[in-house]
Amino acid sequence: MIPIVDLKGQYLGVKKEIMRAVEDALDSCQFILGEDVNKFEEEVARYAGKKYACAVANGTDAILLALKALGVKEGDEVITCAFTYFATAGAIARCGARPVFCDMDRRTYNISPEGLEKLLKVKSAGSRVKAVIPVHLYGQMADMGEILKIAKKYNIKVVEDAAQAFGAAFNGKKAGSMGDAGCFSFYPGKNLGAYGDAGMVLTDDARCVDTLKIYRNQGNKIRYRHTVIGHNSRMDTIQAAILRVKLKYIDEWNAKRQSLAAFYDERLGPLGIITPFVPKGKFHTYHLYVIRFKDKRKRDTAERLLNENGVDARTYYPIPLHLQECFKYLGYKKGDFPEAEGASRETLAIPMYPELTREQQEFIVTLLK
Ligand SMILES: *Cc1c(COP(=O)(O)O)cnc(C)c1O
């Protein structure tokens, strides 16, 4: 059996260090926020080259609170890619804003800058679009150069959804460091994963981080004086302690993923399977290794064959967001985003995690062949 992601090997590798860190955290009897959370905020901010960080309860809240802190409110519109995990658009809607979808770039699976500009041009006069959320899907950053240029031209905020891309880079700039705010998820299966839920927002804006810290803690800066209606979205101390240990290894683990990806690329390309496209200047962290077939039938056959032989393989994501039942009210229909729809039919993620062995990879490649 080869799972899509195996968390056990990594856990065993760092278990001793983690246990010591957890014990120290528990001994401190500060179970929420506390010293480990403060230090983890500083460490991630330094790692990404950003001034401030605000640790929150999960990645979805990171996006939701970042939008709120940047002033997005009821009745506003926020653009994001139709091809992403639900949470990106869920956070927009939970903020009271209306999700506006944009198609993806065919080769990178990230938001299409041309599509974004077209949308903004059409909406131009009296536009209610306040922000765009580029998602760094599968561990590769969106085309941030173009996106920042367009956002500046139309005067909208940029919130990066870097949930899948901790450690990724674009021309040397780290994921989460290029927008007005950068959001991370430390869900256990992410490249930098906690042992429970956790998330974070990065920003260079002192006012933004102040607001974030008020929103994450019930809307009070001074205890029992609530200036806004906030959330309960604080990070647990033991999660920060665990993440501080794992942060030391993230570059090593991401490098391992890259070498595994290079092996897949080399073996699968000649079989006529479309392997991940990495434009110049992009540092891909392969949260997921996603291959693509010429049609849905071939994808389905490959998926079945792998699954029947004990190899987990899945599509991320089988239904683009504009076709989700919960977003029916937005009025989109099939055919609106042909690239996103095509990707949902023809792509397949195959096992990828730093501890995956060559032998396992050989087996997967043989099955696909
Ligand atoms: C995981 C993920 C999120 C949400 O993170 P949680 O910590 O699970 O709330 C948001 N966006 C993307 C693209 C994700 O992959």
Side-chain angles (χ1 to χ4, degrees):
M1 289 295 291
I2 309 177
I4 196 97
V5 57
D6 184 358
L7 303 177
K8 185 103 188 198
Q10 187 170 95
Y11 166 62
L12 293 176
V14 291
K15 185 172 175 180
K16 268 202 184 128
E17 244 183 301
I18 297 265
M19 288 307 186
R20 212 175 311 124
V22 169
E23 193 169 5
D24 288 347
L26 295 183
D27 284 345
S28 80
C29 281
Q30 265 186 316
F31 298 114
I32 289 172
L33 299 175
E35 213 33 45
D36 271 309
V37 173
N38 294 340
K39 287 207 172 113
F40 183 56
E41 286 176 337
E42 280 166 29
E43 286 160 2
V44 174
R46 196 176 325 122
Y47 177 89
K50 214 65 179 161
K51 281 193 192 141
Y52 310 107
C54 177
V56 295
N58 55 68
T60 310
D61 279 3
I63 301 168
L64 169 63
L65 299 193
L67 290 172
K68 283 193 167 187
L70 291 170
V72 175
K73 52 189 186 316
E74 193 107 26
D76 288 343
E77 295 183 337
V78 177
I79 298 174
T80 195
C81 192
F83 197 63
T84 172
Y85 179 53
F86 163 78
T88 320
I92 297 171
R94 290 262 317 277
C95 173
R98 190 181 177 87
V100 175
F101 295 122
C102 179
D103 211 350
M104 52 158 238
D105 171 78
R106 185 182 185 79
R107 296 207 289 174
T108 61
Y109 306 107
N110 281 324
I111 191 167
S112 150
E114 295 78 33
L116 171 64
E117 173 127 45
K118 219 179 277 169
L119 259 178
L120 287 164
K121 222 180 240 163
V122 170
K123 291 190 155 274
S124 203
S127 172
R128 291 190 299 179
V129 177
K130 293 289 153 60
V132 58
I133 309 182
V135 182
H136 305 322
L137 205 70
Y138 304 149
Q140 174 164 262
M141 285 179 73
D143 193 349
M144 289 304 290
E146 286 303 309
I147 292 163
L148 290 176
K149 240 187 272 169
I150 295 165
K152 195 168 173 194
K153 183 167 155 193
Y154 291 91
N155 193 28
I156 59 169
K157 303 281 189 195
V158 178
V159 175
E160 296 176 68
D161 180 345
Q164 300 189 359
F166 196 97
F170 176 91
N171 292 333
K173 293 212 170 91
K174 285 267 176 13
S177 76
M178 296 183 79
D180 295 287
C183 304
F184 292 105
S185 161
F186 304 113
Y187 175 81
K190 300 286 157 78
N191 286 29
L192 180 61
Y195 293 160
D197 279 310
M200 186 171 278
V201 184
L202 296 183
T203 181
D204 274 340
D205 179 347
R207 244 190 35 204
C208 176
V209 77
D210 261 4
T211 313
L212 281 166
K213 287 188 175 174
I214 292 168
Y215 270 117
R216 83 170 165 190
N217 197 11
Q218 306 285 18
N220 58 196
K221 189 167 188 174
I222 303 159
R223 195 174 291 211
Y224 305 129
R225 290 183 59 170
H226 302 269
T227 50
V228 291
I229 300 168
H231 298 245
N232 173 354
S233 188
R234 303 168 297 229
M235 188 188 281
D236 289 343
T237 314
I238 59 169
Q239 298 307 340
I242 289 161
L243 287 163
R244 291 187 66 208
V245 171
K246 295 181 83 178
L247 180 62
K248 293 189 284 187
Y249 299 99
I250 189 65
D251 286 346
E252 190 186 306
W253 289 334
N254 280 341
K256 194 74 209 302
R257 286 174 187 267
Q258 287 184 335
S259 86
L260 294 165
F263 181 82
Y264 274 146
D265 288 349
E266 195 189 296
R267 298 299 169 96
L268 299 178
L271 303 181
I273 291 170
I274 301 163
T275 56
F277 170 66
V278 184
K280 244 182 130 166
K282 298 263 180 88
F283 186 87
H284 199 321
T285 51
Y286 298 99
H287 169 58
L288 293 169
Y289 186 88
V290 174
I291 54 179
R292 184 166 184 161
F293 296 85
K294 291 200 176 65
D295 55 52
K296 177 171 164 36
R297 210 170 39 86
K298 277 209 161 128
R299 193 272 313 267
D300 291 349
T301 307
E303 182 175 9
R304 197 172 346 105
L305 186 80
L306 290 169
N307 291 346
E308 281 169 5
N309 286 279
V311 177
D312 198 356
R314 308 173 192 181
T315 296
Y316 297 82
Y317 296 93
I319 305 171
L321 295 187
H322 67 288
L323 301 178
Q324 294 286 351
E325 195 180 332
C326 66
F327 292 128
K328 239 187 197 152
Y329 71 98
L330 296 172
Y332 292 105
K333 59 183 187 315
K334 215 168 170 174
D336 282 346
F337 302 109
E339 293 303 339
E341 291 169 30
S344 71
R345 283 192 303 266
E346 296 166 8
T347 57
L348 189 65
I350 57 176
M352 169 57 77
Y353 46 91
E355 297 73 24
L356 189 68
T357 65
R358 260 299 122 82
E359 219 177 356
Q360 290 174 314
Q361 276 194 300
E362 296 272 16
F363 181 60
I364 293 162
V365 168
T366 306
L367 288 172
L368 286 168
K369 193 168 178 177

